[in-house]
Amino acid sequence: MRTTIGIGLLGAGTVGGTLLRRLVGDHEAILAKTGLDLQVRRVAVRDPAKARSFELPAELLTTDPRAVVEDPGVDLVVEVMGGREPAGELVAAALAAGKPVVTANKELIADRGAELIELAAERGVPLLFEAAVGGGIPIIRPLSETLAGEQIRRVAGIVNGTTNFVLTRMTEEGAELSEALAEAQRLGYAEADPTADVDGHDAAAKAAILASLAFGVWVPGDRVDREGIGDLDRIDVVYAAKLGYVVKLLAIAERVGEVVSARVHPAMVPVDHPLASIRGATNAIFIEGPSIDELLFAGPGAGGEPTASAVLGDVIDAARETLAGAQVAPRIRFGEGSLVDPGSVETKWYVRLDVEDRPGVLAQVAGAFGDADVSIEAVWQEGTGEDAVLLIVTHRAPERAQRAAVAALEALEVVRRVGATIRVQSDGP
Ligand code: NAP
Ligand code: HSE
């Protein structure tokens, strides 16, 4: 039986370069364990003159990614170049040619996943994307296979390593966002354009994929309600600690009655919550359902090594299916569904106000919340004299009501500034 599979790589950067080293360095171990002779046949990069972390015969490198897809020696295509295009058209071309595809590209899957999954099914070839969410954590396969029969209620957690790394540095070492981000880039955690991490686009794409797989309703990445950490002030990380919270960027996908809610935003998480102790580039994802109650998947969520490990697992899986000659059926079928109105989502909020410190101010502030039907849970005052800072945590209220309260606060003469509004995590993971 033929056990050799020719592999073509689109990209050889942080993830692709590590994968190449594994494919070459671990060739014998993989052969011994799986019976698969995985041969790298072609590798596309943008700049062939760049110094690389791997050695490869020069003739295998090309700057033409189409040549990789069309190479007759390439049986399986690995897309680790990132971005929507030309990655999308290359993946579609590979699938159309009946070649299995493995990708780590959450942006592409969140954008065109439904179409590409359908194309793969039509051609009967695998399209695998385990590394697209959670780096080295197995989450896509458990969600779409092991838990395919579970009526999942909620998938929530930390899905972006870069921002969790940045928030950990800000919390524990008082680092500035920009310096912590530069370190995350050096460590290979960040996207090519790190604003994708900071502004929550990367986490939103992952939330979209998780929601789609969990609920069988296709949720495009751009329909996820998104707020990143770009506007987060370090002082609120400090105040969070004083009030018993840690700031985290959360991704939440849940069923709310008949509709699906998918959102990404910073949140103050109580210090005794399991997510509060997730540090650095680690990711942690809870899955809740009636039979499983609560599962927690945690581990390295970014970086070349863990991500390449997930890609390699997919390569082996796709190679096995190809050699078995299986006509691969789609693992999840996507039905019709609608998304929740973000204004109706209920959470608690932390609000920081710069106010005048004189009699009646608190009453006016409380009145603004009350008029918007938002109940206050606790108030702290920092500083006295001409200016003071009020830290307020509200009870749960719909986002629409919270926003109305903030608008009313901004209109008050005694409020100099609404310094921050951050959601407070209060229910489940
Ligand atoms: P990267 O380091 O920027 O590598 C991208 C690679 O693709 C480079 O080798 C680049 O060539 C090549 N490339 C880009 N555009 C090209 C083009 N038009 N033609 C030919 N080659 C092209 O990115 P990465 O961090 O490895 O990420 C790759 C993918 O994995 C992305 O989709 C990312 O979201 C995903 N991912 C990354 C991580 C992580 O921790 N880094 C984790 C999970 C998923 P040059 O080397 O010549 O520039
Ligand atoms: N930039 C991403 C992150 C890579 O920081 O999580 C892993 O998907």
Side-chain angles (χ1 to χ4, degrees):
M1 188 174 117
R2 187 179 69 96
T3 61
T4 301
I5 291 281
I7 306 215
L9 257 75
L10 303 172
T14 304
V15 179
T18 311
L19 178 69
L20 264 173
R21 287 202 307 277
R22 296 284 310 276
L23 285 168
V24 175
D26 295 351
H27 178 267
E28 294 309 304
I30 293 168
L31 180 63
K33 197 169 170 188
T34 67
L36 294 168
D37 169 24
L38 303 177
Q39 293 289 340
V40 177
R41 295 266 163 79
R42 215 76 203 278
V43 179
V45 291
R46 216 170 358 209
D47 175 7
K50 205 187 243 183
R52 303 283 167 186
S53 61
F54 53 85
E55 284 180 21
L56 203 67
E59 65 272 17
L60 297 196
L61 273 189
T62 173
T63 53
D64 177 8
R66 272 253 162 207
V68 174
V69 172
E70 289 166 6
D71 189 320
V74 168
D75 305 306
L76 185 156
V77 173
V78 180
E79 186 278 301
V80 276
M81 67 200 300
R84 290 183 195 191
E85 293 300 342
E89 68 174 71
L90 293 162
V91 167
L95 294 172
K99 297 190 181 188
V101 173
V102 172
T103 177
N105 191 336
K106 52 270 170 157
E107 189 185 352
L108 174 63
I109 295 297
D111 185 36
R112 291 178 59 182
E115 168 209 335
L116 294 172
I117 289 168
E118 204 177 304
L119 176 59
E122 258 173 46
R123 301 296 155 141
V125 291
L127 167 63
L128 302 182
F129 47 91
E130 182 60 70
V133 183
I137 307 171
I139 184 75
I140 299 295
R141 200 168 271 104
L143 204 50
S144 45
E145 295 181 19
T146 326
L147 298 170
E150 182 72 12
Q151 299 307 304
I152 294 169
R153 275 193 306 263
R154 199 167 201 247
V155 184
I158 295 167
V159 296
N160 183 268
T162 301
T163 46
N164 203 56
F165 178 89
V166 167
L167 290 170
T168 305
R169 284 277 192 278
M170 288 172 79
T171 305
E172 296 179 2
E173 291 157 32
E176 291 295 340
L177 191 150
S178 56
E179 69 182 88
L181 180 60
E183 199 181 342
Q185 286 180 277
R186 271 197 304 279
L187 291 167
Y189 301 151
E191 294 302 299
D193 173 2
T195 54
D197 298 292
V198 172
D199 292 344
H201 294 284
D202 178 83
K206 290 165 178 170
I209 296 169
L210 292 173
S212 302
L213 296 179
F215 307 125
V217 169
W218 186 254
V219 179
D222 59 8
R223 296 291 310 280
V224 174
D225 193 35
R226 174 188 56 80
E227 185 184 322
I229 65 163
D231 292 332
L232 187 69
D233 196 321
R234 198 155 60 83
I235 192 65
D236 294 304
V237 173
V238 175
Y239 284 144
K242 277 192 176 185
L243 305 185
Y245 298 105
V246 180
V247 181
K248 296 289 181 190
L249 183 69
L250 298 187
I252 298 165
E254 61 189 354
R255 249 191 207 291
V256 187
E258 293 304 301
V259 295
V260 167
S261 167
R263 53 193 195 273
V264 165
H265 54 70
M268 290 198 178
V269 175
V271 279
D272 56 358
H273 190 283
L275 289 178
S277 56
I278 301 300
R279 301 173 62 253
T282 306
N283 284 189
I285 303 159
F286 282 93
I287 302 180
E288 289 175 32
S291 318
I292 51 164
D293 191 15
E294 191 177 282
L295 299 178
L296 171 62
F297 296 77
E305 288 292 343
T307 309
S309 167
V311 174
L312 184 54
D314 275 354
V315 167
I316 290 170
D317 192 8
R320 281 177 175 147
E321 292 196 20
T322 306
L323 289 173
Q327 279 291 304
V328 182
R331 288 176 163 90
I332 298 276
R333 292 176 197 280
F334 300 105
E336 296 289 309
S338 34
L339 286 169
V340 79
D341 162 18
S344 68
V345 175
E346 287 192 9
T347 44
K348 294 175 29 164
W349 285 78
Y350 155 96
V351 179
R352 171 167 57 84
L353 303 174
D354 293 346
V355 294
E356 292 176 25
D357 188 16
R358 61 175 169 82
V361 171
L362 197 53
Q364 290 189 48
V365 167
F369 279 105
D371 290 348
D373 212 17
V374 176
S375 173
I376 292 174
E377 183 182 281
V379 181
W380 295 262
Q381 179 166 334
E382 291 279 314
T384 51
E386 230 170 75
D387 299 307
V389 175
L390 286 183
L391 307 177
I392 295 161
V393 172
T394 74
H395 284 293
R396 285 167 67 85
E399 180 161 337
R400 193 177 296 107
Q402 300 278 13
R403 301 252 176 242
V406 168
L409 289 166
E410 280 169 339
L412 289 179
E413 214 172 288
V414 294
V415 172
R416 296 197 203 283
R417 194 169 72 103
V418 178
T421 57
I422 301 175
R423 293 164 184 84
V424 176
Q425 192 62 14
S426 60
D427 62 329

